Amino acid sequence: MIKHYQELIERALEEDGAYADITTLSTVPEDQQAQAMLLARQVGVVAGLTIALDVFRTLDERVEVEVVVQDGVTVEANAVLARLHGSARSILSAERVALNFLGRLSGVATLTAQCVHVVEGTHTRILDTRKTTPTLRQLEKTAVLLGGGYNHRFNLSDGVLIKDNHIKAAGGITQAITGARRMAPHLLKIECECETLAEVEEAVKARADVVLLDNMDIEAMRSAVMLLRREAPYVLIEASGNIGANMTRLAEVAATGVDFISLGAITHSVPNFDVSLEFA
Amino acid sequence: MIKHYQELIERALEEDGAYADITTLSTVPEDQQAQAMLLARQVGVVAGLTIALDVFRTLDERVEVEVVVQDGVTVEANAVLARLHGSARSILSAERVALNFLGRLSGVATLTAQCVHVVEGTHTRILDTRKTTPTLRQLEKTAVLLGGGYNHRFNLSDGVLIKDNHIKAAGGITQAITGARRMAPHLLKIECECETLAEVEEAVKARADVVLLDNMDIEAMRSAVMLLRREAPYVLIEASGNIGANMTRLAEVAATGVDFISLGAITHSVPNFDVSLEFA
Amino acid sequence: MIKHYQELIERALEEDGAYADITTLSTVPEDQQAQAMLLARQVGVVAGLTIALDVFRTLDERVEVEVVVQDGVTVEANAVLARLHGSARSILSAERVALNFLGRLSGVATLTAQCVHVVEGTHTRILDTRKTTPTLRQLEKTAVLLGGGYNHRFNLSDGVLIKDNHIKAAGGITQAITGARRMAPHLLKIECECETLAEVEEAVKARADVVLLDNMDIEAMRSAVMLLRREAPYVLIEASGNIGANMTRLAEVAATGVDFISLGAITHSVPNFDVSLEFA
Amino acid sequence: MIKHYQELIERALEEDGAYADITTLSTVPEDQQAQAMLLARQVGVVAGLTIALDVFRTLDERVEVEVVVQDGVTVEANAVLARLHGSARSILSAERVALNFLGRLSGVATLTAQCVHVVEGTHTRILDTRKTTPTLRQLEKTAVLLGGGYNHRFNLSDGVLIKDNHIKAAGGITQAITGARRMAPHLLKIECECETLAEVEEAVKARADVVLLDNMDIEAMRSAVMLLRREAPYVLIEASGNIGANMTRLAEVAATGVDFISLGAITHSVPNFDVSLEFA
Amino acid sequence: MIKHYQELIERALEEDGAYADITTLSTVPEDQQAQAMLLARQVGVVAGLTIALDVFRTLDERVEVEVVVQDGVTVEANAVLARLHGSARSILSAERVALNFLGRLSGVATLTAQCVHVVEGTHTRILDTRKTTPTLRQLEKTAVLLGGGYNHRFNLSDGVLIKDNHIKAAGGITQAITGARRMAPHLLKIECECETLAEVEEAVKARADVVLLDNMDIEAMRSAVMLLRREAPYVLIEASGNIGANMTRLAEVAATGVDFISLGAITHSVPNFDVSLEFA
Amino acid sequence: MIKHYQELIERALEEDGAYADITTLSTVPEDQQAQAMLLARQVGVVAGLTIALDVFRTLDERVEVEVVVQDGVTVEANAVLARLHGSARSILSAERVALNFLGRLSGVATLTAQCVHVVEGTHTRILDTRKTTPTLRQLEKTAVLLGGGYNHRFNLSDGVLIKDNHIKAAGGITQAITGARRMAPHLLKIECECETLAEVEEAVKARADVVLLDNMDIEAMRSAVMLLRREAPYVLIEASGNIGANMTRLAEVAATGVDFISLGAITHSVPNFDVSLEFA
């Protein structure tokens, strides 16, 4: 297992009292073996199966797992995702934590895939944001990739994205971009949020590498894209704001020709993917 | 601050690279002070404000916060939740982590409150489940309380809930309940999941303290409640399964007279609550 | 190994400087192999053998162990508990930490077994308390089980036990029980400490599920048991206070017919069990 | 507070569920303030009061404490050790962890003081050993000092003590001492365990700095002391083995003129010191 | 203090046994107060003073510090950097850890400043690398900034730098750059290491944003710079390899007109800066 | 692997973003296998190879390593130190952290060996100090041993070394040594720093076990050695101060006949040892 997730799994198992599962300890014989299946209960894209299986093996390294479906695969309802064999007690005590990871992450991948589907046929990519669950970002961003989306910067240390409050604090778009150019590591591009065409023009003049069209209506967005393609063809264009997982709006934004649409909803407002564990 | 959350906040800030926010460091002067407001952007119940404010103070203990609305209060759109005063850099670098906590937890409280509203006028209580975000359970269960719901057991070590897989492993409902009675700590009641009336009768005979009616249709549920009230008036009744946040179904289940309805959806399928931070 | 104890073992090994054992490093050749035995030096019940053996394997995963006696078995003096084979250095450097766990936990199991022996023939169970060694509670409570005792609640989050200070703070027994009934999770019974018959009566009226007779003399205890059996046959009865490991007093209390006697002494005042490690 | 103990306190509070004390939360009003006293219930030497008070302040930094008696002071039964003022909830939720530290450590100091009292009038010092509670060694060794004892080496990295198994592995006392002399840091003395006079003579010839007389009878011990004082007056003499907290035996050993008696019992077989917390 | 460093300081203090400094405990009275000065013993640029002072305050929060010279300032030999006032014990026990941080980090800043001085008058910037001390990277990179240098990427997650082994594995420069363009986050520029002019041309064709001239002789480097300025004026140029802190070579490389020179030596081969602590 | 280093390796890998190496992930196919060699690029003594190889296995347990040269061996330039076989991605992502350990520690061993070489033929031993990199002390002290040096005390808890500030605080050499004798554990020798012959005489009278000649010129040092050998032949003599890695001065100091020379430079001012990783 990637060592990076070990600690997270262990904290989750402790949180759930999995090492002191009194129901299981008092109803299931110590030496009872069981076969079990992880089952999808709906259509969607699987994500988090690897970590879910690691949950069982973390609780009890003797639990054997057979992966039936890889992370990233689209499944039908009632598809078998994996089979488990081992101590009935261990399987039952780890079940809920495993399903909590699997349900959340497959939910992210499935919702992402739905959004990606909407923009198919355009060159627009669906991006995630930093609006992720605290301490689960790496897992959720991986689920976005599995759903066909792309990752925006991982965090504040690995990308420059100048937002309205930075602009206010710096005294203007030009000042903000100039400051960033002077101090940020030379391997980072500079992205600047703009809400009007005037701001877009100022950002381009100040030599932004990427422009983020925030909260613009479709008409303004279309104008901004035209302006940028004409005057600064090397500049990348991202759109965001009030799009959520509204599929109609998403299609309209993609049709404006932006390079990227970033969506908070694919990580912060995710319906759980329905999965269950059944004893054979 | 409750020490218990300190580690979680610090992990989240590190995950977000908040100590190396290159955009802010390169656009905002070191000594610039700012006033900012946390604003609700929709109607709902606030939760997680305390921890959100602790995020700012963890990054920079000199940031001053003024709480305008307490956790648990129902607010209108555009309500000011809190005011911040301090280093502009610190406020900007901590913003996203703070909003991620606040948006998720207020989302839980708000969805819970909607469900609680549906069952108003009955004696039925809305319960949460263990279907929570890994490592955030305490926060989410507190948000459920703030939304007017009640907490089911916190984890596997502090409650006995016999489910179908336990029953299979134990060889029957009677055996499972008897085992639990013999070994579980004397301060714990014993709850048993039942899917049919026959199972309910067996559970009562085996002296279950609480019966969980799982995945029953309304008719069966009504019969079960009648049976239980007549033959075992001291037994508590919980319903679960396929209810989600479906409000019509929820009202019907409550109308059967069960004591509790437990809902995974209020913690695992939560629309983010819309909040933002604005500089004054 | 149960992951849960790994951290504790590692902290204990570091505390003992086991990775920099200068005596062993300077007197024992690096490649020397050794056979060693863990020996009981007194009669008693073994507990903590599993964790003691894990100590050796944590320091050096190549140390091979052979378990001769399982945790929970009663042994005579000079019984061989386990055999070890591996690097002489590793065995010597881990010895003290291993024996410290084994001596303490077998001490708990042995003292518990002595108390359980005294109440044999009655239906009274010996319970532990929360008066355990900070951070070793799980291990000590397991040792109590191995000695034939039973576990009271694990901690403050998984049981309701209303004590005198709670009663004072709540304004009376009735208020305290009512408050607990309203807010505590529905799977938890409510236990209330009582020092007089009047308090017992009030607790029963307020619908306590369990009554704790605290610091009562034998006569009062007998009256309380009679009262409770007559008026509230479903209420469980626990006794505590000033019993310690005083075996005469213990027999008298059991003879009153209480369901449980809880004893702080079996975890807080434990003579170490005498064990040693001998090279073959 | 000394930072070193912070982590231990926090682990203990979490172990006890002190942040989710459902009894207190459901019976004590949130804003209720309380005055409380920590009381000794027996004669003895206080130790661990500092850390006990830090437990309350760790749970809730607003709890105010007034130290009445310093660690190391001998008190009578019913002596007030400290006064607390603050949230009734916080005081109740932290009480058990605080008392567990205080009871154990005052137990160590009190038992040590009894042993020290027995050897008063001789030049013999009472030493502790490495037979301490895993992860609590620093606290227990400090309690030994408070009881008037002295500390042996803290752990395996800061002292050379050659025991029987080292001698076996090295091929003899001379080889073991020579090896230690060659490799151990130059600031460390070399102590060698001896069970016979012949071994004592060999150790002295090999230039041991300290000799540990292990498991000798009084007669042999007396001869060894005479031999050593005559032939190697600069060598320090320690006695150990089968002394426990047997006070008669202790006096006899001290009378032989040894410099030190090391006692495992003062840390591994300690009766808890009786303390309680009372609301004013 | 920035929370991020707290853990590092605490680990360093524990490593040094600062909480059990037996020399100080046995020679310095508990209540003795002292005034002390941190003194530079050589010319150079100060770095790490902030963290050094935090070391004292971590051990004992009552130690008062007065900063005389800010991090980043160039000082003469015997300059007073800071004054301390507080418990003599605390100051002595924390001294070595504090000086170890201060000596290393001021060494980094001072060596960096010497390199920066050599390239003064050119537009070339001195960059650090990832050749830093494990777990001290943030501190060392900050010291580089204080010495007048600039930071290259912080780690593998926040910059794309294609090296020879990546090129081999990808099957060529073009393939590697294309792969990176397809998958790396859109905010990151792509830098490619080149050892010949042919490679530089291929990198430019493949649309690298930055070219790293590695291990080229001065002549080749000059040709590469000319080629790049002519054909790809927007491409940034970095030089590295075999430069170390060789000042003549450094000047020659800067004279070729490259934008950046990255130097492992300024973090991996640093003479300690001579500092001491003196009691007043 | 020695468990003790696991955490350090994991922190270093996380610091370097090794689990999110976007360059490698985007340029190297997931299933590509590679053979690689760790190569010395200069003459010197190897140290840290074990931990460097553990870095690769920590990132990916399937990477196979073949050790060609053991830690402690002196190698020529271009010597193969070890061979690796496994996932190309894993090898590349772990490379820098592994080389950072290996380069630093082999640097320490190599510089130590140079100093040891200078004093060959005398009985003087080269000692390290506590002037090590924060949190890497154990590794650096092991590298000193591998280079042929010896270790001074590990930290403040395992040796008594009275320095000038202790003497000031205690009120004189005699008072300081007497205090230490009274309170320090009996297994520790007492070393006292002296700057003049008069101080040496006072230290001997106060019964110091070891004398540290600090910052003396060669003449004074020679007189001190003569004095000590004549009047206190059992006292060990250490020299320190202003020696650095100045080889001429080192030879002169050794020629005075001191037992030990302690050198901060061998851990605090170390040129990195040049190593690289090459794909086969």
Side-chain angles (χ1 to χ4, degrees), chain A residues 2-165:
Chain A
I2 297 179
K3 299 271 173 189
H4 184 64
Y5 298 131
Q6 190 64 41
E7 239 180 80
L8 181 61
I9 291 176
E10 286 175 17
R11 275 199 296 268
L13 284 169
E14 268 194 51
E15 179 186 65
D16 197 32
Y19 298 101
D21 175 357
I22 51 183
T23 308
T24 297
L25 292 172
S26 64
T27 60
V28 181
E30 186 169 4
D31 53 0
Q32 189 164 323
Q33 298 294 300
Q35 306 257 15
M37 290 178 301
L38 285 171
L39 294 167
R41 292 306 190 190
Q42 64 166 88
V43 176
V45 179
V46 177
L49 185 56
T50 309
I51 197 167
L53 296 175
D54 285 334
V55 169
F56 292 100
R57 286 184 293 209
T58 297
L59 190 78
D60 177 354
E61 63 196 358
R62 291 160 308 171
V63 171
E64 287 165 28
V65 308
E66 180 202 345
V67 176
V68 178
V69 159
Q70 298 292 329
D71 277 329
V73 169
T74 302
V75 296
E76 299 302 310
N78 299 314
V80 177
L81 305 182
R83 291 197 178 80
L84 300 160
H85 179 76
S87 151
R89 283 186 172 184
S90 299
I91 291 171
L92 286 170
S93 295
E95 171 186 352
R96 176 47 43 212
V97 172
L99 295 184
N100 284 352
F101 278 113
L102 185 54
R104 167 117 194 126
L105 296 171
S106 298
V108 170
T110 298
L111 182 54
T112 302
Q114 290 163 359
C115 295
V116 168
H117 181 71
V118 170
V119 302
E120 254 170 28
T122 74
H123 83 288
T124 307
R125 292 178 170 189
I126 299 298
L127 295 181
D128 56 26
T129 64
R130 287 166 42 245
K131 297 177 181 178
T132 55
T133 309
T135 78
L136 303 187
R137 184 171 291 170
Q138 185 73 65
L139 287 167
E140 292 180 349
K141 287 200 163 237
T142 300
V144 166
L145 293 179
L146 291 168
Y150 287 81
N151 293 152
H152 209 300
R153 61 177 172 171
F154 187 76
N155 65 28
L156 293 167
S157 77
D158 61 5
V160 177
L161 174 42
I162 299 168
K163 299 202 169 179
D164 55 348
N165 284 329

Side-chain angles (χ1 to χ4, degrees), chain C residues 15-266:
Chain C
E15 178 187 66
D16 197 34
Y19 298 101
D21 175 356
I22 51 184
T23 308
T24 297
L25 292 171
S26 64
T27 61
V28 182
E30 186 169 4
D31 54 359
Q32 189 165 322
Q33 297 295 299
Q35 306 258 15
M37 291 177 300
L38 285 171
L39 294 166
R41 292 304 190 191
Q42 64 166 85
V43 176
V45 179
V46 177
L49 185 57
T50 308
I51 197 168
L53 296 175
D54 284 333
V55 169
F56 293 100
R57 285 183 293 208
T58 297
L59 190 79
D60 178 353
E61 63 196 356
R62 291 161 309 171
V63 172
E64 286 164 28
V65 308
E66 180 203 343
V67 176
V68 178
V69 160
Q70 299 292 330
D71 278 330
V73 170
T74 302
V75 296
E76 298 302 310
N78 299 314
V80 177
L81 305 182
R83 290 198 178 80
L84 300 160
H85 180 76
S87 152
R89 284 186 171 183
S90 299
I91 292 171
L92 286 170
S93 295
E95 171 186 351
R96 176 47 43 213
V97 171
L99 294 184
N100 284 352
F101 278 113
L102 184 55
R104 167 119 194 123
L105 296 171
S106 298
V108 170
T110 299
L111 181 55
T112 302
Q114 289 163 0
C115 295
V116 167
H117 180 70
V118 170
V119 301
E120 253 169 29
T122 74
H123 82 289
T124 307
R125 292 177 170 189
I126 298 298
L127 294 181
D128 55 26
T129 65
R130 286 167 43 244
K131 297 177 180 178
T132 56
T133 308
T135 77
L136 303 187
R137 183 171 291 171
Q138 185 72 64
L139 287 167
E140 293 180 350
K141 287 201 163 237
T142 301
V144 167
L145 292 179
L146 292 168
Y150 288 81
N151 294 152
H152 209 301
R153 62 177 171 171
F154 187 77
N155 65 28
L156 293 168
S157 76
D158 60 6
V160 177
L161 174 42
I162 298 168
K163 299 201 170 180
D164 55 348
N165 285 329
H166 299 108
I167 294 168
K168 271 190 214 167
I173 283 178
T174 304
Q175 292 86 329
I177 293 178
T178 307
R181 178 83 55 208
R182 192 169 48 236
M183 294 185 47
H186 69 287
L187 285 184
L188 298 181
K189 293 187 177 172
I190 292 171
E191 178 164 10
C192 184
E193 189 178 289
C194 301
E195 302 193 2
T196 65
L197 279 187
E199 288 180 6
V200 170
E201 285 185 327
E202 183 176 356
V204 167
K205 261 193 208 118
R207 302 209 5 251
D209 298 301
V210 189
V211 163
L212 170 59
L213 309 178
D214 191 47
N215 283 321
M216 283 189 182
D217 61 32
I218 295 293
E219 200 47 51
M221 220 179 267
R222 210 174 285 136
S223 307
V225 172
M226 266 191 302
L227 171 78
L228 283 161
R229 294 309 186 212
R230 191 179 61 231
E231 294 187 15
Y234 47 83
V235 166
L236 297 172
I237 312 176
E238 177 184 342
S240 75
N242 293 329
I243 302 172
N246 176 328
M247 299 302 170
T248 314
R249 168 100 173 136
L250 194 54
E252 287 173 356
V253 174
T256 65
V258 298
D259 298 304
F260 309 100
I261 302 173
S262 53
L263 294 171
I266 58 175

Side-chain angles (χ1 to χ4, degrees), chain A residues 7-8 11-12 14-18 20-29 32 88-89 92-97 100-101 104 130-138 140 153-171 175-185 188 242 268-274 277-280, chain B residues 7-8 11-12 14-18 20-29 32 88-89 92-97 100-101 104 130-138 140 153-171 175-185 188 242 268-274 277-280:
Chain A
E7 239 180 80
L8 181 61
R11 275 199 296 268
E14 268 194 51
E15 179 186 65
D16 197 32
D21 175 357
I22 51 183
T23 308
T24 297
L25 292 172
S26 64
T27 60
V28 181
Q32 189 164 323
R89 283 186 172 184
L92 286 170
S93 295
E95 171 186 352
R96 176 47 43 212
V97 172
N100 284 352
F101 278 113
R104 167 117 194 126
R130 287 166 42 245
K131 297 177 181 178
T132 55
T133 309
T135 78
L136 303 187
R137 184 171 291 170
Q138 185 73 65
E140 292 180 349
R153 61 177 172 171
F154 187 76
N155 65 28
L156 293 167
S157 77
D158 61 5
V160 177
L161 174 42
I162 299 168
K163 299 202 169 179
D164 55 348
N165 284 329
H166 299 108
I167 294 168
K168 272 192 212 166
Q175 292 86 329
I177 293 179
T178 307
R181 178 82 56 208
R182 192 169 49 235
M183 294 186 46
L188 299 181
N242 294 329
H268 75 35
S269 297
V270 182
N272 198 57
F273 184 86
D274 196 2
L277 179 140
E278 299 291 331
F279 269 28
Chain B
E7 237 181 81
L8 181 61
R11 274 199 297 268
E14 267 194 50
E15 179 187 66
D16 197 33
D21 175 356
I22 51 184
T23 307
T24 297
L25 292 172
S26 63
T27 60
V28 181
Q32 189 164 324
R89 283 187 172 183
L92 286 170
S93 295
E95 169 186 354
R96 176 45 45 211
V97 171
N100 284 351
F101 277 112
R104 166 118 195 124
R130 287 168 41 244
K131 297 177 180 179
T132 56
T133 308
T135 77
L136 303 187
R137 184 170 292 170
Q138 185 73 63
E140 293 179 350
R153 61 177 172 172
F154 186 77
N155 66 27
L156 293 168
S157 77
D158 61 5
V160 177
L161 174 42
I162 298 169
K163 299 202 169 179
D164 55 348
N165 285 328
H166 297 108
I167 294 168
K168 270 189 212 167
Q175 293 86 330
I177 293 178
T178 307
R181 179 82 55 205
R182 192 169 47 235
M183 294 186 47
L188 299 180
N242 294 327
H268 74 37
S269 296
V270 182
N272 197 59
F273 184 86
D274 197 3
L277 179 140
E278 300 292 330
F279 269 28

Side-chain angles (χ1 to χ4, degrees), chain F residues 107-128:
Chain F
V108 169
T110 298
L111 182 55
T112 302
Q114 290 163 0
C115 295
V116 167
H117 181 70
V118 170
V119 302
E120 253 169 27
T122 74
H123 82 288
T124 307
R125 292 178 170 188
I126 298 298
L127 294 182
D128 55 27

Side-chain angles (χ1 to χ4, degrees), chain D residues 34 36 56 63 84-95 277 279:
Chain D
F56 292 100
V63 171
L84 300 159
H85 180 76
S87 151
R89 283 186 171 184
S90 299
I91 291 171
L92 286 170
S93 294
E95 169 187 354
L277 179 140
F279 269 29

Side-chain angles (χ1 to χ4, degrees), chain D residues 78-183:
Chain D
N78 298 315
V80 177
L81 307 181
R83 290 199 178 79
L84 300 159
H85 180 76
S87 151
R89 283 186 171 184
S90 299
I91 291 171
L92 286 170
S93 294
E95 169 187 354
R96 175 48 41 214
V97 170
L99 294 184
N100 284 352
F101 277 112
L102 184 55
R104 166 121 195 123
L105 296 171
S106 298
V108 170
T110 299
L111 182 54
T112 301
Q114 290 162 359
C115 295
V116 168
H117 181 70
V118 170
V119 302
E120 255 170 28
T122 74
H123 82 289
T124 306
R125 292 178 170 188
I126 298 298
L127 294 181
D128 55 27
T129 64
R130 286 167 42 244
K131 296 177 181 178
T132 55
T133 307
T135 77
L136 303 187
R137 184 170 291 169
Q138 185 72 64
L139 287 167
E140 293 180 349
K141 287 199 164 240
T142 301
V144 166
L145 293 178
L146 292 168
Y150 288 81
N151 293 152
H152 208 301
R153 62 178 171 170
F154 187 77
N155 66 27
L156 293 167
S157 77
D158 61 5
V160 177
L161 174 41
I162 299 169
K163 300 203 169 177
D164 56 347
N165 285 329
H166 298 107
I167 293 169
K168 270 189 212 165
I173 284 177
T174 305
Q175 292 86 331
I177 293 178
T178 307
R181 179 82 55 207
R182 192 168 47 234
M183 293 186 47

